Every structure is written in structure tokens, then in C-alpha cells.
Coordinates of all heavy atoms in Angstrom, one line a residue:
R1 N -13.9 -13.5 -4.3 CA -15.3 -13.8 -4.3 C -16.1 -12.9 -3.4 O -15.6 -12.7 -2.3 CB -15.6 -15.2 -4.0 CG -15.0 -16.2 -5.0 CD -15.6 -17.5 -4.8 NE -15.8 -18.0 -6.2 CZ -16.3 -19.1 -6.5 NH1 -16.7 -19.9 -5.6 NH2 -16.4 -19.5 -7.7
Q2 N -17.3 -12.5 -3.8 CA -18.1 -11.7 -2.9 C -19.5 -12.3 -2.9 O -20.0 -12.8 -3.9 CB -18.2 -10.3 -3.4 CG -16.9 -9.5 -3.4 CD -17.0 -8.1 -3.9 OE1 -18.0 -7.7 -4.4 NE2 -15.9 -7.4 -3.9
K3 N -20.2 -12.2 -1.8 CA -21.5 -12.6 -1.6 C -22.4 -11.6 -2.3 O -22.4 -10.4 -2.1 CB -21.9 -12.8 -0.2 CG -23.3 -13.3 0.0 CD -23.7 -13.4 1.5 CE -25.1 -13.8 1.6 NZ -25.6 -13.9 2.9
V4 N -23.3 -12.1 -3.3 CA -24.2 -11.2 -4.0 C -25.6 -11.9 -3.9 O -25.7 -13.1 -4.1 CB -23.8 -11.1 -5.5 CG1 -24.8 -10.3 -6.2 CG2 -22.4 -10.5 -5.6
S5 N -26.6 -11.1 -3.6 CA -28.0 -11.6 -3.6 C -28.8 -10.7 -4.5 O -28.6 -9.5 -4.6 CB -28.5 -11.7 -2.2 OG -28.6 -10.4 -1.6
Y6 N -29.8 -11.3 -5.1 CA -30.7 -10.5 -6.0 C -32.1 -10.8 -5.6 O -32.6 -12.0 -5.5 CB -30.5 -11.0 -7.5 CG -31.4 -10.4 -8.5 CD1 -31.4 -9.0 -8.7 CD2 -32.3 -11.2 -9.2 CE1 -32.3 -8.4 -9.6 CE2 -33.2 -10.6 -10.1 CZ -33.2 -9.2 -10.3 OH -34.1 -8.7 -11.2
N7 N -32.9 -9.8 -5.4 CA -34.3 -9.9 -5.1 C -35.1 -9.6 -6.3 O -35.2 -8.4 -6.7 CB -34.7 -8.9 -3.9 CG -36.1 -9.1 -3.5 OD1 -37.0 -9.4 -4.3 ND2 -36.3 -8.8 -2.2
R8 N -35.7 -10.6 -6.9 CA -36.5 -10.4 -8.2 C -37.7 -9.6 -8.0 O -38.1 -8.9 -9.0 CB -36.8 -11.8 -8.8 CG -35.7 -12.5 -9.4 CD -36.1 -13.7 -10.2 NE -36.0 -14.9 -9.3 CZ -36.5 -16.0 -9.7 NH1 -37.1 -16.2 -10.8 NH2 -36.4 -17.0 -8.8
I9 N -38.3 -9.6 -6.9 CA -39.6 -8.9 -6.7 C -39.3 -7.4 -6.6 O -39.9 -6.6 -7.3 CB -40.3 -9.3 -5.4 CG1 -40.7 -10.8 -5.5 CG2 -41.5 -8.4 -5.1 CD1 -41.3 -11.4 -4.3
S10 N -38.3 -7.0 -5.9 CA -38.0 -5.5 -5.7 C -37.0 -5.1 -6.8 O -36.8 -3.9 -7.0 CB -37.5 -5.2 -4.3 OG -36.2 -5.8 -4.1
G11 N -36.2 -6.0 -7.4 CA -35.2 -5.6 -8.4 C -33.9 -5.1 -7.8 O -33.1 -4.5 -8.4
T12 N -33.7 -5.4 -6.5 CA -32.5 -4.9 -5.8 C -31.4 -5.9 -5.8 O -31.7 -7.1 -5.8 CB -32.8 -4.5 -4.4 OG1 -33.3 -5.6 -3.6 CG2 -33.8 -3.3 -4.3
V13 N -30.2 -5.5 -5.9 CA -29.0 -6.3 -5.8 C -28.2 -5.9 -4.6 O -28.0 -4.7 -4.4 CB -28.1 -6.2 -7.1 CG1 -26.8 -7.0 -6.9 CG2 -28.9 -6.6 -8.3
T14 N -27.8 -6.8 -3.8 CA -27.0 -6.5 -2.6 C -25.7 -7.3 -2.7 O -25.7 -8.5 -3.0 CB -27.7 -7.0 -1.3 OG1 -29.0 -6.5 -1.3 CG2 -27.0 -6.7 -0.1
A15 N -24.6 -6.5 -2.5 CA -23.3 -7.1 -2.6 C -22.5 -6.8 -1.3 O -22.6 -5.7 -0.9 CB -22.5 -6.6 -3.8
T16 N -21.8 -7.7 -0.8 CA -20.9 -7.5 0.3 C -19.5 -7.4 -0.2 O -18.9 -8.4 -0.7 CB -21.0 -8.7 1.3 OG1 -22.4 -8.8 1.7 CG2 -20.2 -8.4 2.6
G17 N -18.9 -6.3 0.0 CA -17.5 -6.0 -0.5 C -16.5 -6.7 0.4 O -16.7 -7.0 1.6
S18 N -15.3 -7.0 -0.2 CA -14.3 -7.7 0.5 C -13.2 -6.7 1.0 O -12.1 -7.1 1.4 CB -13.7 -8.8 -0.3 OG -13.1 -8.3 -1.5
F19 N -13.4 -5.4 0.8 CA -12.4 -4.4 1.1 C -12.7 -3.9 2.5 O -13.8 -4.0 3.1 CB -12.4 -3.3 0.1 CG -12.0 -3.7 -1.2 CD1 -12.9 -3.8 -2.2 CD2 -10.6 -3.9 -1.5 CE1 -12.5 -4.2 -3.5 CE2 -10.2 -4.3 -2.7 CZ -11.1 -4.5 -3.7
G20 N -11.7 -3.3 3.1 CA -11.8 -2.7 4.5 C -12.9 -1.6 4.5 O -13.2 -1.0 3.4
S21 N -13.4 -1.3 5.6 CA -14.5 -0.4 5.7 C -14.0 1.1 5.8 O -14.8 2.0 5.7 CB -15.3 -0.7 6.9 OG -14.6 -0.6 8.1
T22 N -12.7 1.3 6.1 CA -12.2 2.6 6.2 C -11.0 2.8 5.3 O -10.1 1.9 5.2 CB -11.7 2.9 7.7 OG1 -12.7 2.7 8.6 CG2 -11.1 4.3 7.8
A23 N -10.9 3.9 4.5 CA -9.8 4.1 3.6 C -9.1 5.4 4.1 O -9.7 6.4 4.5 CB -10.3 4.3 2.2
T24 N -7.8 5.3 4.2 CA -7.0 6.4 4.6 C -5.9 6.7 3.6 O -5.2 5.8 3.2 CB -6.3 6.1 6.0 OG1 -7.3 5.7 6.9 CG2 -5.5 7.3 6.5
Q25 N -5.7 8.0 3.2 CA -4.7 8.4 2.3 C -3.6 9.2 3.1 O -4.0 10.0 4.0 CB -5.2 9.3 1.2 CG -6.2 8.6 0.3 CD -6.7 9.5 -0.8 OE1 -6.5 10.7 -0.8 NE2 -7.3 8.9 -1.8
S26 N -2.4 8.9 2.8 CA -1.3 9.7 3.4 C -0.1 9.6 2.5 O -0.2 9.1 1.4 CB -0.9 9.0 4.8 OG -0.5 7.7 4.6
S27 N 1.0 10.2 2.9 CA 2.2 10.2 2.2 C 3.4 10.1 3.1 O 3.3 10.4 4.3 CB 2.4 11.4 1.3 OG 2.5 12.6 2.1
A28 N 4.5 9.6 2.6 CA 5.8 9.5 3.4 C 6.9 9.9 2.5 O 6.8 9.8 1.2 CB 6.0 8.1 3.9
T29 N 8.0 10.4 3.0 CA 9.2 10.7 2.3 C 10.3 9.7 2.4 O 10.7 9.4 3.6 CB 9.7 12.1 2.7 OG1 8.7 13.1 2.5 CG2 10.9 12.5 1.8
A30 N 10.8 9.2 1.3 CA 11.9 8.3 1.3 C 13.2 9.2 1.2 O 13.3 9.9 0.1 CB 11.9 7.3 0.2
G31 N 14.0 9.3 2.2 CA 15.1 10.2 2.2 C 16.4 9.4 2.1 O 16.5 8.2 1.9
A32 N 17.5 10.1 2.5 CA 18.9 9.5 2.5 C 19.1 8.4 3.6 O 19.9 7.5 3.5 CB 19.9 10.5 2.6
A33 N 18.3 8.5 4.7 CA 18.4 7.5 5.7 C 17.1 6.7 5.8 O 16.0 7.2 5.4 CB 18.6 8.3 7.1
S34 N 17.1 5.5 6.3 CA 16.0 4.7 6.4 C 14.9 5.4 7.3 O 15.3 5.9 8.4 CB 16.3 3.3 7.0 OG 15.2 2.5 7.1
G35 N 13.7 5.4 6.9 CA 12.6 6.0 7.6 C 11.3 5.1 7.5 O 11.2 4.2 6.7
V36 N 10.3 5.5 8.3 CA 9.1 4.7 8.3 C 8.2 5.1 7.1 O 7.9 6.3 6.8 CB 8.3 5.0 9.6 CG1 6.9 4.4 9.6 CG2 9.1 4.6 10.8
L37 N 7.9 4.1 6.3 CA 6.9 4.3 5.2 C 5.5 4.3 5.7 O 4.7 5.2 5.5 CB 7.1 3.2 4.1 CG 6.3 3.3 2.9 CD1 6.6 4.6 2.1 CD2 6.5 2.1 2.0
F38 N 5.2 3.3 6.5 CA 4.0 3.3 7.3 C 4.2 2.4 8.5 O 4.9 1.4 8.5 CB 2.7 2.9 6.5 CG 2.7 1.7 5.8 CD1 2.5 0.4 6.4 CD2 2.9 1.7 4.4 CE1 2.5 -0.7 5.7 CE2 2.9 0.5 3.7 CZ 2.7 -0.7 4.3
A39 N 3.5 2.7 9.6 CA 3.7 2.0 10.9 C 2.8 0.7 10.9 O 1.8 0.6 10.1 CB 3.3 2.9 12.1
A40 N 3.1 -0.2 11.8 CA 2.3 -1.4 12.0 C 0.9 -1.0 12.4 O 0.7 0.0 13.1 CB 2.9 -2.3 13.1
N41 N -0.1 -1.7 11.9 CA -1.5 -1.4 12.3 C -2.3 -2.7 12.2 O -2.5 -3.3 11.1 CB -2.1 -0.4 11.3 CG -3.5 0.0 11.7 OD1 -4.3 -0.7 12.3 ND2 -3.8 1.3 11.3
A42 N -2.8 -3.2 13.3 CA -3.6 -4.4 13.4 C -4.9 -4.4 12.6 O -5.4 -5.5 12.3 CB -3.8 -4.8 14.9
N43 N -5.4 -3.2 12.3 CA -6.6 -3.1 11.6 C -6.5 -3.0 10.1 O -7.4 -3.0 9.3 CB -7.4 -1.9 12.1 CG -7.9 -2.0 13.5 OD1 -8.2 -3.1 13.9 ND2 -7.8 -1.0 14.3
R44 N -5.2 -2.9 9.6 CA -5.0 -2.8 8.1 C -5.3 -4.1 7.4 O -4.8 -5.1 7.8 CB -3.5 -2.3 7.9 CG -3.2 -2.1 6.4 CD -1.8 -1.8 6.1 NE -1.2 -0.8 6.9 CZ -0.3 -1.0 7.8 NH1 0.3 -2.2 8.0 NH2 0.2 0.0 8.5
Q45 N -6.0 -4.0 6.3 CA -6.2 -5.1 5.4 C -5.1 -5.1 4.3 O -4.6 -6.1 4.0 CB -7.6 -5.0 4.8 CG -8.7 -5.2 5.8 CD -8.6 -6.6 6.4 OE1 -8.5 -7.6 5.7 NE2 -8.8 -6.6 7.7
R46 N -4.9 -3.9 3.7 CA -3.9 -3.8 2.7 C -3.5 -2.3 2.6 O -4.2 -1.4 3.0 CB -4.4 -4.4 1.4 CG -5.6 -3.7 0.8 CD -6.2 -4.4 -0.4 NE -6.6 -5.8 -0.2 CZ -7.8 -6.1 0.4 NH1 -8.6 -5.2 0.7 NH2 -8.1 -7.3 0.5
A47 N -2.3 -2.1 2.0 CA -1.8 -0.7 1.7 C -1.3 -0.7 0.3 O -0.5 -1.6 -0.1 CB -0.8 -0.4 2.7
H48 N -1.7 0.3 -0.4 CA -1.3 0.5 -1.8 C -0.2 1.7 -1.7 O -0.6 2.7 -1.2 CB -2.4 0.9 -2.7 CG -3.6 0.0 -2.6 ND1 -3.7 -1.2 -3.3 CD2 -4.7 0.0 -1.8 CE1 -4.8 -1.8 -3.0 NE2 -5.4 -1.1 -2.1
V49 N 1.0 1.4 -2.2 CA 2.0 2.4 -2.2 C 2.5 2.8 -3.6 O 2.7 1.8 -4.4 CB 3.2 1.9 -1.3 CG1 4.3 2.9 -1.3 CG2 2.8 1.6 0.1
R50 N 2.6 4.1 -3.9 CA 3.1 4.5 -5.2 C 4.3 5.4 -5.1 O 4.4 6.3 -4.3 CB 2.0 5.3 -5.9 CG 2.5 5.9 -7.3 CD 1.4 6.6 -8.0 NE 0.4 5.8 -8.5 CZ 0.3 5.2 -9.6 NH1 1.3 5.3 -10.5 NH2 -0.7 4.4 -10.0
N51 N 5.3 5.0 -5.9 CA 6.5 5.9 -6.0 C 6.2 7.0 -7.0 O 6.0 6.7 -8.2 CB 7.7 5.0 -6.5 CG 9.0 5.9 -6.7 OD1 9.0 7.1 -6.7 ND2 10.1 5.2 -7.0
T52 N 6.2 8.2 -6.5 CA 5.8 9.3 -7.4 C 6.9 10.0 -8.2 O 6.7 10.9 -9.0 CB 5.1 10.4 -6.6 OG1 6.0 11.0 -5.6 CG2 3.9 9.9 -5.9
H53 N 8.2 9.5 -7.9 CA 9.3 10.2 -8.5 C 9.4 9.8 -10.0 O 9.1 8.7 -10.4 CB 10.6 9.8 -7.8 CG 11.7 10.9 -8.0 ND1 12.5 10.8 -9.1 CD2 12.0 12.0 -7.3 CE1 13.3 11.8 -9.0 NE2 13.0 12.6 -8.0
A54 N 9.9 10.7 -10.8 CA 10.0 10.5 -12.3 C 11.2 9.6 -12.7 O 11.2 9.0 -13.7 CB 10.1 11.8 -13.0
T55 N 12.3 9.6 -11.8 CA 13.5 8.9 -12.3 C 14.1 8.0 -11.2 O 14.9 7.1 -11.6 CB 14.6 9.9 -12.7 OG1 14.8 10.8 -11.6 CG2 14.1 10.7 -13.9
D56 N 13.8 8.2 -9.9 CA 14.5 7.4 -8.9 C 13.6 6.3 -8.3 O 12.4 6.5 -8.1 CB 14.9 8.3 -7.8 CG 16.0 9.3 -8.2 OD1 16.6 9.0 -9.3 OD2 16.3 10.2 -7.5
R57 N 14.3 5.2 -7.9 CA 13.6 4.1 -7.3 C 13.5 4.3 -5.7 O 14.4 5.0 -5.2 CB 14.1 2.7 -7.6 CG 15.6 2.6 -7.6 CD 16.1 1.2 -7.7 NE 16.1 0.7 -9.1 CZ 16.9 -0.3 -9.5 NH1 17.8 -0.8 -8.7 NH2 16.8 -0.8 -10.7
M58 N 12.5 3.7 -5.1 CA 12.4 3.7 -3.7 C 12.5 2.3 -3.1 O 11.7 1.4 -3.6 CB 11.0 4.3 -3.3 CG 10.7 4.4 -1.8 SD 9.1 5.0 -1.5 CE 8.1 3.5 -2.0
H59 N 13.4 2.1 -2.2 CA 13.5 0.7 -1.6 C 12.7 0.6 -0.4 O 12.4 1.6 0.3 CB 15.0 0.5 -1.3 CG 15.9 0.5 -2.5 ND1 16.3 -0.6 -3.1 CD2 16.5 1.5 -3.2 CE1 17.0 -0.3 -4.1 NE2 17.2 1.0 -4.2
Y60 N 12.2 -0.6 -0.1 CA 11.4 -0.8 1.1 C 11.8 -2.1 1.8 O 12.3 -3.0 1.2 CB 9.9 -0.8 0.7 CG 9.5 -1.9 -0.2 CD1 9.2 -3.2 0.2 CD2 9.6 -1.7 -1.6 CE1 8.9 -4.2 -0.7 CE2 9.3 -2.7 -2.5 CZ 8.9 -4.0 -2.0 OH 8.6 -5.0 -2.9
C61 N 11.5 -2.2 3.1 CA 11.7 -3.5 3.8 C 10.6 -3.6 4.9 O 10.1 -2.6 5.4 CB 13.1 -3.6 4.4 SG 13.4 -2.4 5.7
D62 N 10.3 -4.9 5.2 CA 9.2 -5.2 6.2 C 9.8 -6.1 7.2 O 9.0 -6.7 8.0 CB 8.0 -5.8 5.5 CG 8.3 -7.1 4.8 OD1 9.5 -7.5 4.7 OD2 7.3 -7.7 4.4
D63 N 11.1 -6.2 7.4 CA 11.6 -7.1 8.4 C 12.0 -6.5 9.7 O 12.7 -7.1 10.5 CB 12.8 -7.9 7.8 CG 13.9 -7.0 7.3 OD1 13.9 -5.7 7.6 OD2 14.9 -7.5 6.7
G64 N 11.6 -5.2 9.9 CA 11.9 -4.5 11.1 C 13.3 -3.9 11.2 O 13.6 -3.4 12.3
T65 N 14.1 -4.1 10.2 CA 15.4 -3.5 10.2 C 15.5 -2.2 9.4 O 14.5 -1.9 8.7 CB 16.4 -4.5 9.6 OG1 16.1 -4.7 8.2 CG2 16.4 -5.8 10.3
A66 N 16.6 -1.5 9.5 CA 16.8 -0.3 8.6 C 16.8 -0.7 7.2 O 17.4 -1.7 6.8 CB 18.1 0.4 9.0
C67 N 16.2 0.0 6.3 CA 16.1 -0.2 4.9 C 17.4 0.2 4.3 O 18.0 1.3 4.6 CB 14.9 0.5 4.3 SG 14.5 0.0 2.6
T68 N 17.9 -0.6 3.3 CA 19.1 -0.2 2.5 C 18.8 -0.3 1.0 O 17.7 -0.9 0.7 CB 20.3 -1.1 2.9 OG1 20.0 -2.4 2.4 CG2 20.6 -1.1 4.4
T69 N 19.7 0.1 0.2 CA 19.5 0.0 -1.3 C 19.6 -1.4 -1.8 O 19.5 -1.7 -3.0 CB 20.4 0.9 -2.0 OG1 21.7 0.7 -1.6 CG2 20.1 2.4 -1.7
S70 N 19.9 -2.4 -0.9 CA 19.9 -3.8 -1.3 C 18.5 -4.5 -1.1 O 18.3 -5.6 -1.5 CB 21.0 -4.6 -0.5 OG 20.7 -4.6 0.8
H71 N 17.6 -3.7 -0.5 CA 16.2 -4.3 -0.4 C 15.4 -4.1 -1.7 O 15.8 -3.4 -2.6 CB 15.5 -3.5 0.8 CG 15.9 -4.0 2.1 ND1 16.9 -3.3 2.9 CD2 15.5 -5.0 2.9 CE1 17.1 -4.0 4.0 NE2 16.2 -5.0 4.0
P72 N 14.3 -4.8 -1.8 CA 13.4 -4.7 -3.0 C 13.0 -3.2 -3.1 O 13.1 -2.4 -2.2 CB 12.2 -5.5 -2.6 CG 12.6 -6.5 -1.6 CD 13.7 -5.8 -0.8
Y73 N 12.6 -2.9 -4.3 CA 12.3 -1.5 -4.6 C 11.1 -1.3 -5.5 O 10.6 -2.3 -6.2 CB 13.5 -0.8 -5.3 CG 13.9 -1.5 -6.6 CD1 13.4 -1.2 -7.8 CD2 14.9 -2.4 -6.5 CE1 13.8 -1.8 -8.9 CE2 15.4 -3.1 -7.7 CZ 14.8 -2.7 -8.9 OH 15.2 -3.4 -10.0
L74 N 10.6 -0.1 -5.6 CA 9.5 0.4 -6.5 C 10.2 1.3 -7.5 O 10.9 2.2 -7.1 CB 8.4 1.1 -5.8 CG 7.5 0.3 -4.8 CD1 6.6 1.3 -4.1 CD2 6.8 -0.8 -5.5
D75 N 10.0 1.0 -8.8 CA 10.6 1.8 -9.8 C 9.8 3.1 -9.9 O 8.7 3.2 -9.3 CB 10.5 1.1 -11.2 CG 11.6 0.2 -11.4 OD1 12.7 0.5 -11.0 OD2 11.4 -0.9 -12.0
P76 N 10.3 4.2 -10.6 CA 9.5 5.4 -10.7 C 8.1 5.2 -11.3 O 8.0 4.5 -12.3 CB 10.4 6.2 -11.7 CG 11.7 5.7 -11.6 CD 11.6 4.2 -11.3
G77 N 7.1 5.7 -10.6 CA 5.7 5.6 -11.0 C 5.1 4.3 -10.7 O 3.9 4.1 -10.9
E78 N 5.8 3.3 -10.2 CA 5.3 2.0 -9.9 C 4.5 2.0 -8.6 O 4.7 2.8 -7.7 CB 6.4 1.0 -9.8 CG 6.0 -0.5 -9.6 CD 7.1 -1.4 -9.5 OE1 8.3 -1.0 -9.5 OE2 6.8 -2.6 -9.5
E79 N 3.4 1.1 -8.6 CA 2.6 1.0 -7.4 C 2.6 -0.5 -7.0 O 2.6 -1.4 -7.8 CB 1.2 1.4 -7.7 CG 0.3 1.4 -6.5 CD -1.1 2.0 -6.7 OE1 -1.2 3.0 -7.4 OE2 -2.1 1.4 -6.3
K80 N 2.6 -0.7 -5.7 CA 2.6 -2.1 -5.1 C 1.5 -2.2 -4.0 O 1.4 -1.2 -3.2 CB 3.9 -2.5 -4.6 CG 4.0 -3.9 -4.1 CD 5.4 -4.3 -3.8 CE 5.5 -5.7 -3.2 NZ 5.1 -6.7 -4.0
T81 N 0.9 -3.3 -3.9 CA -0.1 -3.5 -2.8 C 0.5 -4.5 -1.8 O 1.1 -5.5 -2.2 CB -1.4 -4.1 -3.4 OG1 -2.0 -3.2 -4.3 CG2 -2.4 -4.4 -2.2
F82 N 0.5 -4.0 -0.6 CA 1.1 -4.8 0.5 C -0.1 -5.3 1.4 O -0.9 -4.5 1.9 CB 2.0 -4.0 1.4 CG 3.2 -3.5 0.7 CD1 3.2 -2.3 0.0 CD2 4.4 -4.3 0.7 CE1 4.3 -1.8 -0.6 CE2 5.5 -3.8 0.0 CZ 5.5 -2.6 -0.6
Q83 N -0.2 -6.6 1.6 CA -1.3 -7.1 2.5 C -0.6 -7.6 3.7 O -0.2 -8.7 3.9 CB -2.0 -8.3 1.8 CG -2.9 -7.9 0.6 CD -3.7 -9.0 0.1 OE1 -3.3 -9.7 -0.7 NE2 -5.0 -9.0 0.6
T84 N -0.4 -6.6 4.6 CA 0.3 -6.8 5.8 C -0.2 -5.9 6.9 O -0.6 -4.8 6.7 CB 1.9 -6.6 5.6 OG1 2.5 -6.8 6.9 CG2 2.2 -5.2 5.2
K85 N -0.1 -6.4 8.2 CA -0.4 -5.5 9.3 C 0.9 -4.9 9.9 O 0.9 -4.1 10.8 CB -1.1 -6.4 10.3 CG -2.5 -6.8 9.8 CD -3.2 -7.7 10.8 CE -4.5 -8.2 10.3 NZ -5.4 -7.4 9.5
D86 N 2.1 -5.4 9.4 CA 3.4 -4.9 9.9 C 3.7 -3.6 9.3 O 3.1 -3.2 8.3 CB 4.5 -5.9 9.5 CG 4.3 -7.3 10.1 OD1 3.8 -7.3 11.2 OD2 4.8 -8.2 9.5
G87 N 4.6 -2.9 9.8 CA 5.1 -1.6 9.3 C 6.1 -1.8 8.2 O 6.7 -2.9 8.1
L88 N 6.4 -0.8 7.4 CA 7.4 -0.9 6.3 C 8.3 0.3 6.5 O 7.9 1.4 6.8 CB 6.8 -0.8 4.9 CG 6.6 -2.2 4.3 CD1 5.4 -2.9 4.9 CD2 6.3 -2.0 2.8
N89 N 9.6 0.1 6.2 CA 10.6 1.2 6.2 C 11.0 1.5 4.7 O 10.8 0.6 3.9 CB 11.8 0.8 7.0 CG 11.5 0.7 8.4 OD1 10.7 1.4 9.0 ND2 12.2 -0.2 9.1
C90 N 11.5 2.6 4.4 CA 11.9 3.0 3.1 C 13.2 3.8 3.1 O 13.5 4.5 4.1 CB 10.8 3.7 2.4 SG 10.3 5.3 3.1
I91 N 13.8 3.9 1.9 CA 14.9 4.8 1.6 C 15.0 5.1 0.1 O 14.5 4.2 -0.7 CB 16.3 4.1 2.1 CG1 17.4 5.1 2.1 CG2 16.6 2.8 1.3 CD1 18.7 4.5 2.8
R92 N 15.5 6.2 -0.2 CA 15.6 6.6 -1.6 C 16.7 5.8 -2.3 O 17.7 5.4 -1.6 CB 15.8 8.1 -1.8 CG 17.1 8.5 -1.3 CD 17.2 10.1 -1.3 NE 18.6 10.5 -1.0 CZ 18.9 11.7 -0.7 NH1 18.0 12.6 -0.5 NH2 20.2 12.0 -0.4
G93 N 16.7 5.6 -3.6 CA 17.7 4.8 -4.3 C 18.8 5.7 -4.9 O 19.8 5.1 -5.3
A94 N 18.6 7.0 -5.0 CA 19.5 7.9 -5.6 C 19.6 9.2 -4.8 O 19.4 9.2 -3.6 CB 19.2 8.1 -7.1
A95 N 19.9 10.3 -5.5 CA 20.1 11.5 -4.8 C 18.9 12.3 -4.4 O 18.9 13.3 -3.7 CB 21.0 12.4 -5.6
N96 N 17.7 11.9 -4.9 CA 16.5 12.7 -4.7 C 15.6 12.1 -3.7 O 15.3 10.9 -3.7 CB 15.7 12.9 -6.0 CG 16.5 13.6 -7.1 OD1 16.9 14.7 -6.9 ND2 16.8 12.9 -8.2
N97 N 15.0 12.9 -2.8 CA 14.0 12.5 -1.9 C 12.8 12.1 -2.7 O 12.5 12.7 -3.7 CB 13.6 13.5 -0.9 CG 14.7 13.7 0.2 OD1 15.6 12.9 0.3 ND2 14.5 14.7 1.0
I98 N 12.0 11.1 -2.2 CA 10.8 10.6 -3.0 C 9.6 10.7 -2.1 O 9.6 10.3 -0.9 CB 11.1 9.1 -3.4 CG1 12.3 9.1 -4.3 CG2 9.8 8.5 -4.0 CD1 12.7 7.6 -4.6
T99 N 8.5 11.2 -2.6 CA 7.3 11.2 -1.9 C 6.5 10.0 -2.3 O 6.3 9.8 -3.5 CB 6.4 12.5 -2.3 OG1 7.2 13.6 -1.9 CG2 5.1 12.4 -1.6
A100 N 6.2 9.1 -1.4 CA 5.4 7.9 -1.6 C 4.0 8.2 -1.2 O 3.7 8.7 -0.1 CB 6.0 6.8 -0.8
L101 N 3.0 7.9 -2.1 CA 1.6 8.0 -1.8 C 1.1 6.7 -1.2 O 1.5 5.7 -1.8 CB 0.8 8.4 -3.0 CG 1.2 9.8 -3.6 CD1 0.3 10.0 -4.8 CD2 1.1 10.9 -2.6
I102 N 0.4 6.8 -0.1 CA -0.1 5.6 0.5 C -1.6 5.6 0.7 O -2.2 6.6 1.1 CB 0.6 5.5 1.9 CG1 2.1 5.5 1.8 CG2 0.1 4.2 2.7 CD1 2.8 5.9 3.1
F103 N -2.3 4.5 0.3 CA -3.7 4.4 0.5 C -3.9 3.1 1.2 O -3.6 2.0 0.8 CB -4.4 4.3 -0.9 CG -5.9 4.2 -0.9 CD1 -6.6 5.3 -0.6 CD2 -6.5 3.0 -1.0 CE1 -8.0 5.2 -0.6 CE2 -7.8 2.8 -1.0 CZ -8.6 3.9 -0.8
E104 N -4.4 3.2 2.5 CA -4.6 2.1 3.3 C -6.1 1.7 3.4 O -7.0 2.6 3.6 CB -4.1 2.4 4.7 CG -2.6 2.4 4.9 CD -2.2 2.6 6.3 OE1 -2.0 1.6 7.0 OE2 -2.1 3.8 6.7
E105 N -6.4 0.4 3.4 CA -7.8 -0.1 3.7 C -7.7 -0.8 5.0 O -6.9 -1.6 5.3 CB -8.2 -1.1 2.6 CG -8.2 -0.5 1.2 CD -8.4 -1.6 0.2 OE1 -9.1 -2.5 0.5 OE2 -7.9 -1.4 -0.9
R106 N -8.7 -0.4 5.9 CA -8.7 -0.9 7.3 C -10.1 -1.4 7.6 O -11.1 -1.0 7.0 CB -8.3 0.2 8.3 CG -7.0 0.8 8.0 CD -6.7 1.9 9.0 NE -5.4 2.6 8.7 CZ -5.0 3.7 9.3 NH1 -5.8 4.3 10.1 NH2 -3.8 4.2 9.0
D107 N -10.1 -2.3 8.7 CA -11.4 -2.8 9.2 C -12.1 -1.6 9.9 O -11.6 -0.7 10.4 CB -11.2 -3.8 10.2 CG -10.7 -5.1 9.6 OD1 -10.9 -5.3 8.4 OD2 -10.0 -5.9 10.3

């Protein structure tokens, strides 16, 4: 829900968005060893992550441990939204490194 107000005299509509005020785009590589997908950030509202690989899955974990192929994953081309201020780790699911695209919304 968003607060919306309408002024009939001037014809203006004012809406207050529920998204963060700063958007940041970045990428990370999921390789053969567990690595940082994105670091913890107290100002993050949500992060959208996309697996850009055509055939391989990318595993992720948010429990502060090294990521393994037994953790949850994103299929090729899949995108997931994380609403967390914690960091995430990642690892590739097969033989190919994966570039993950990350779009963060922050306060």
C-alpha cells in the first residue's frame, strides 16, 4: 500500500513510494569456490538477483557459512528478490562461472 493524495483544484496527484531511495546495480561471479554475492548492508531494503547463465544453476546461502551445492539455487535466467540486510554467498552449480546481476534498493 502507498499513500496517495489527489488535489482536485490543481489536478495533481502525489504518491509516496515504498521502495528505497537509492538504487545500485552491480554484478558478482559465482565460481568453483564459495564467494560473496553481496555484503551485509544495514541500509538495504531489498536486492534483486538474476542468474544470467544459459544452462547452469547458481547456489546461494545467507547463513554466514560457505555456500555449497546443497544450498538453494537460482535456475538459469531466474531472478529472486531478497529482503535482507544480511550478506549472501554463492557458488556455481556446474563447470561454468556465472555472472549474477544484482540490483539493490537502499534507504
Side-chain angles (χ1 to χ4, degrees):
R1 297 197 137 178
Q2 296 179 358
K3 181 180 177 181
V4 177
S5 62
Y6 175 64
N7 183 327
R8 285 191 267 170
I9 295 172
S10 66
T12 59
V13 175
T14 305
T16 304
S18 60
F19 294 104
S21 59
T22 303
T24 304
Q25 294 181 350
S26 62
S27 64
T29 300
S34 179
V36 175
L37 183 60
F38 55 79
N41 186 331
N43 295 322
R44 182 186 309 114
Q45 293 298 314
R46 63 190 60 81
H48 310 276
V49 178
R50 176 180 291 270
N51 175 354
T52 64
H53 203 273
T55 58
D56 292 346
R57 45 171 79 155
M58 179 185 72
H59 297 265
Y60 61 88
C61 68
D62 62 353
D63 59 7
T65 64
C67 190
T68 67
T69 55
S70 64
H71 282 97
Y73 57 86
L74 294 176
D75 279 323
E78 187 176 7
E79 183 174 317
K80 180 171 177 65
T81 300
F82 296 91
Q83 290 189 276
T84 181
K85 295 178 185 316
D86 296 333
L88 264 74
N89 293 329
C90 64
I91 192 169
R92 68 187 189 198
N96 299 299
N97 285 351
I98 297 169
T99 300
L101 299 180
I102 304 160
F103 181 81
E104 289 183 89
E105 298 172 33
R106 301 177 182 169
D107 288 336

